[in-house]
Amino acid sequence: MNRILIVDDDLDLCELLAKYLRREGFEFEMVHNGEAGVNRALAGAYALIILDVMLPSMNGFEVLSQIRGRSQTPVLMLTARGDDVDRIVGLEMGADDYLAKPFNPRELVARIRAILRRTRTDADAPPADRWVIGDIDLDKTTRVVARDGEPLALTAVEFDLLEALMRAAGRIVTREELVKAILGRDLTPYDRSIDTHVSNLRKKLGHYVDGVERIKTVRGVGYIYARPRE
């Protein structure tokens, strides 16, 4: 199911996106204000939501907040070029990725495909795809993460980020590796997306476990997921 919801009031842009998405074989629906975006997002089953920040009736952040209150559907936000504040706020609120306007539609399609690849569950995945470290239990087959037996509401990016860090527990995973594996692109200067996702993940997991920093920053390099004390 590759149905996409586009929430954007720029009709010319929507027409351009429709042309590209149709050509790439995607099904999609469009709405042009924030309130309609919330209603449609929560009423339908979508593989991805493309959400503009600047919307009439309700801005994109308000829409994202309401969606995240009830759904973990991946969200790709469209922001004004150079507006780092919008990007950081969107990621902190649970957006999976962002793209600055104006953009090349081919890049948007590439971002969409990257998000769909990492959120598609694999029905044939072996039962061994489960990672338990300390109080965290990650099951890749069901894409469920629990802390001390209590399920955690993680976004698709946060789940994949946690899996990558847990797989490499005890050793450094570079920011370049994480951006490539999780966001499906190369790391560029001033791109702090992965750092924001790590920050969000820390808040949900808890910064410390048994007095040990759970996800340690290695300045200028990357991150280490802590092994439990022997």
Side-chain angles (χ1 to χ4, degrees), residues 93-158:
M93 293 180 65
D96 293 75
D97 204 353
Y98 65 81
L99 190 59
K101 291 182 175 182
F103 53 81
N104 187 322
R106 291 181 181 177
E107 182 176 2
L108 177 66
V109 170
R111 296 285 183 96
I112 290 171
R113 292 196 183 283
I115 292 172
L116 294 180
R117 278 196 300 272
R118 67 175 179 255
T119 56
R120 186 177 294 117
T121 55
D122 184 354
D124 299 321
D129 277 347
R130 182 177 177 182
W131 301 87
V132 181
I133 299 179
D135 58 344
I136 300 297
D137 183 339
L138 181 150
D139 189 334
K140 187 175 180 180
T141 60
T142 59
R143 292 188 69 85
V144 170
V145 174
R147 184 181 62 196
D148 286 332
E150 293 294 325
L152 298 175
L154 302 186
T155 67
V157 171
E158 291 163 358

Side-chain angles (χ1 to χ4, degrees), residues 1-7 21 26-29 41 45-51 67-68 72-77 96-97 108-116 118-119 156:
M1 189 272 291
N2 283 337
R3 195 155 61 111
I4 295 171
L5 176 64
I6 301 171
V7 187
L21 294 177
F26 291 104
E27 298 179 12
F28 56 88
E29 296 179 27
Y46 299 98
L48 174 71
I49 299 168
I50 298 174
L51 175 62
I67 291 173
R68 277 291 170 263
Q72 294 302 314
T73 301
V75 174
L76 171 62
M77 295 201 78
D96 293 75
D97 204 353
L108 177 66
V109 170
R111 296 285 183 96
I112 290 171
R113 292 196 183 283
I115 292 172
L116 294 180
R118 67 175 179 255
T119 56

Side-chain angles (χ1 to χ4, degrees), residues 118 157 160-166 168 172-185 187 194-195 198 215 221-224:
R118 67 175 179 255
V157 171
D160 292 334
L161 176 58
L162 178 60
E163 181 192 355
L165 292 171
M166 290 181 73
I172 298 173
V173 185
T174 68
R175 294 176 69 247
E176 289 85 353
E177 290 174 321
L178 291 173
V179 170
K180 188 70 173 180
I182 308 304
L183 301 181
R185 61 175 185 262
L187 180 65
I194 204 70
D195 307 294
V198 169
I215 302 175
V221 182
Y223 299 95
I224 299 177

Side-chain angles (χ1 to χ4, degrees), residues 192-226:
R192 311 301 297 179
S193 301
I194 204 70
D195 307 294
T196 304
H197 288 305
V198 169
S199 176
N200 293 341
L201 187 59
R202 281 175 172 145
K203 292 173 185 174
K204 293 182 179 182
L205 299 180
H207 288 263
Y208 294 87
V209 55
D210 294 333
V212 176
E213 189 174 11
R214 192 188 299 274
I215 302 175
K216 182 179 180 180
T217 300
V218 181
R219 189 175 298 277
V221 182
Y223 299 95
I224 299 177
Y225 193 94

